[in-house]
């Protein structure tokens, strides 16, 4: 019982700590929020001339953030290897 | 463990559905440039077709088509393709993952070389995601005892 109360208290505290941070977010769909001021316009305006890729999403995924995508793939590979190491047992001969 | 549970409706439907899913996954991969899609999604769809195969038939039937060892090689092959294309660009005198430099070995101009480079890395992502999803699914569903568990089960079903 005391465990439950403690965990509920911790959950409430953590949630309120996170909600305090939400106050500092830019407003929803605010055109002057930091991400809309210099990151998005760069991608939207310069994608075609810089990368010659018709799709902005692909350009961001594979070109501007190629390293990111490569290590995402590596993370998936690592996850699979971790599952193999944890679960797989040696073959019986 | 997944045991043999025959149902002609499920098997026939899967027989039609699985090739469609695999073709569709390749479509999602190939259209990652012009429309939403790409390696991650296509790989998951491809893995789902194997999951459906294991569910509708049994694990042997799926392994006959795609063995465990090939799957293990494919897990690493995708990452290798991705990093390999990056290194290839490096060897051709560009930056890492600078696909335009691939035009030196591909018979195209740099713009199309970028296209093919991205198609290549998406293919790598698809191969890894597909193989890892299948591998994790098989590990979970057999509790990691691939051949052994099935043999025990066969002995059990024979004695019934």
């Amino acid at each position: 019982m005391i465990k439950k109360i403690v965990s509920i208290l911790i959950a409430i505290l953590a949630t309120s700590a996170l909600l305090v941070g939400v106050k500092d977010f830019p407003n929803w769909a605010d055109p002057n929020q930091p991400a809309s001021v210099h990151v998005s316009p760069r991608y939207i305006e310069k994608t075609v001339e810089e990368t010659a890729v018709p799709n902005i999403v692909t350009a961001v995924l594979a070109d501007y953030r190629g390293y990111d995508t490569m290590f995402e793939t590596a993370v998936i590979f690592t996850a699979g290897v971790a599952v193999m190491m944890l679960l797989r047992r040696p073959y019986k001969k | 463990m997944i045991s043999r549970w025959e149902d002609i409706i499920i098997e026939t439907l899967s027989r039609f559905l699985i090739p469609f899913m695999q073709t569709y996954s390749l479509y999602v991969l190939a259209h990652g440039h012009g429309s939403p899609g790409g390696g991650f999604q296509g790989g998951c769809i491809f893995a789902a077709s194997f999951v459906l195969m294991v569910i509708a038939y049994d694990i042997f039937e799926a392994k006959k088509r795609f063995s465990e060892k090939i799957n293990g090689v494919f897990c690493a092959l995708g990452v290798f393709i991705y990093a390999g294309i990056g290194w290839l660009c490096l060897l051709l005198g560009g930056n890492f993952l600078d696909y335009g430099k691939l035009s030196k070995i591909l018979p195209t101009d740099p713009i199309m070389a970028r296209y093919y480079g991205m198609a290549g890395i998406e293919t790598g992502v698809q191969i890894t995601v597909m193989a890892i999803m299948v591998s994790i699914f098989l590990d979970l569903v057999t509790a990691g005892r691939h051949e052994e568990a099935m043999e025990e089960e066969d002995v059990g079903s024979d004695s019934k």
Side-chain angles (χ1 to χ4, degrees):
Chain A
M1 191 60 196
I2 191 89
K3 251 187 197 172
K4 266 187 188 170
I5 292 173
V6 169
S7 39
I8 288 171
L9 276 180
I10 290 175
I12 290 172
L13 276 177
T15 312
S16 29
L18 289 174
L19 286 176
V20 167
V22 168
K23 186 163 56 68
D24 295 334
F25 279 2
N27 287 326
W28 183 254
D30 181 9
N32 292 320
Q33 63 181 337
S36 306
V37 172
H38 68 284
V39 181
S40 303
R42 166 71 185 266
Y43 286 158
I44 292 167
E45 287 161 11
K46 300 245 175 122
T47 289
V48 173
E49 68 181 81
E50 283 184 352
T51 68
V53 180
N55 189 357
I56 297 176
V57 176
T58 309
V60 171
L61 178 88
D63 208 312
Y64 288 113
R65 301 194 176 172
Y67 280 107
D68 185 48
T69 311
M70 187 179 87
F71 286 107
E72 273 172 30
T73 315
V75 162
I76 289 176
F77 175 67
T78 315
V81 171
V83 171
M84 280 179 210
M85 286 167 69
L86 284 173
L87 286 182
R88 198 170 285 186
R89 296 167 202 187
Y91 289 102
K92 209 189 271 176
K93 296 284 172 181
Chain B
M1 317 298 145
I2 290 205
S3 59
R4 183 87 179 146
W5 185 69
E6 290 179 16
D7 189 312
I8 191 154
I9 297 173
I10 291 175
E11 289 189 359
T12 312
L13 269 177
S14 311
R15 188 168 293 168
F16 285 113
L17 202 54
I18 287 167
F20 176 75
M21 285 168 78
Q22 295 181 343
T23 315
Y24 183 68
S25 117
L26 295 179
Y27 168 84
V28 168
L29 169 70
H31 278 247
H33 294 80
S35 60
F40 289 96
Q41 297 88 334
C44 278
I45 297 172
F46 209 99
S49 77
F50 279 107
V51 172
L52 179 63
M53 203 188 286
V54 173
I55 290 172
Y57 296 89
D58 62 8
I59 211 158
F60 291 127
E61 200 64 30
K63 279 191 178 178
K64 235 182 264 170
R65 287 166 169 75
F66 196 57
S67 82
E68 197 63 40
K69 280 179 184 165
I70 294 179
N71 194 27
V73 171
F74 270 35
C75 291
L77 182 68
V79 184
F80 181 76
I81 289 175
Y82 200 132
I85 288 176
W87 279 102
L88 202 57
C89 303
L90 210 58
L91 290 178
L92 293 170
N95 291 321
F96 194 69
L97 294 174
D98 185 6
Y99 314 108
K101 292 286 185 290
L102 290 174
S103 63
K104 289 179 183 170
I105 50 169
L106 293 174
T108 46
D109 53 339
I111 291 176
M112 279 313 277
R114 298 192 81 87
Y115 180 90
Y116 290 127
M118 286 186 188
I121 62 153
E122 291 281 357
T123 311
V125 172
Q126 162 134 359
I127 289 172
T128 288
V129 169
M130 182 266 294
I132 288 290
M133 291 289 160
V134 172
S135 164
I136 289 178
F137 173 73
L138 288 180
D139 278 348
L140 289 177
V141 90
T142 61
R145 300 183 298 169
H146 290 255
E147 313 296 335
E148 187 189 326
M150 292 299 127
E151 279 165 17
E152 277 171 17
E153 197 173 1
D154 279 356
V155 172
S157 58
D158 286 341
S159 62
K160 265 174 204 167

